[in-house]
Amino acid sequence: GGLGAGGVSASTGLQNIINWPGHENQWRPGDPTALAVLGERQADVDTIYSTMDVTQARALLQKYHVKYVYVGAAERAAYPPESLAKFSQLGTPVFQQGDVVIYEVK
C-alpha cells in the first residue's frame, strides 16, 4: 500500500507536475491548450524517470522547480532500476519506508 505520489501531493499540498491526466482532462474537456500542456508534462515526467542522462533529468526538474522526487511501487514497476538510480545523484533521500524513497532535489 501507500499513498503514492498523488496521495503525497494531496496530503502535503505540494504540487505534482502531473498526477493523473484523465482527471485533468475531465475538468478541461476538449481544451486544446490544456491537452497540449498535459501531453508535454506527461512526456517530461516520463523522461525524468526513464532517462539515464542525469543532465537531462536535472534540466527538466529545474524547468518545473521540482523540490522532491517520489519513487514508489508504481515508478519501480514502470521504469528500470538503472534509470531510477540517478536520483541519488540528483538529490538526497529525505524519506524511506518499504519501497518508497522521496529525494530532495539538490
Side-chain angles (χ1 to χ4, degrees):
L3 289 174
V8 170
S9 183
S11 298
T12 63
L14 296 171
Q15 287 184 311
N16 283 350
I17 295 172
I18 189 167
N19 188 43
W20 179 49
H23 172 83
E24 295 297 333
N25 190 35
Q26 175 182 345
W27 293 103
R28 296 168 185 82
D31 180 343
T33 304
L35 293 176
V37 169
L38 291 174
E40 178 185 1
R41 284 177 172 247
Q42 186 63 54
D44 285 348
V45 168
D46 187 57
T47 300
I48 288 168
Y49 282 99
S50 65
T51 186
M52 303 291 278
D53 183 340
V54 174
T55 303
Q56 182 184 29
R58 181 178 289 117
L60 288 170
L61 292 169
Q62 289 172 346
K63 173 181 176 179
Y64 293 104
H65 309 286
V66 172
K67 187 169 181 182
Y68 298 98
V69 174
Y70 181 97
V71 178
E75 292 75 21
R76 293 181 196 288
Y79 303 102
E82 311 82 60
S83 69
L84 298 176
K86 73 177 165 292
F87 293 119
S88 63
Q89 298 173 53
L90 292 166
T92 305
V94 292
F95 177 85
Q96 284 184 274
Q97 185 175 17
D99 63 357
V100 173
V101 181
I102 298 176
Y103 296 91
E104 183 173 14
V105 178
K106 298 175 191 172

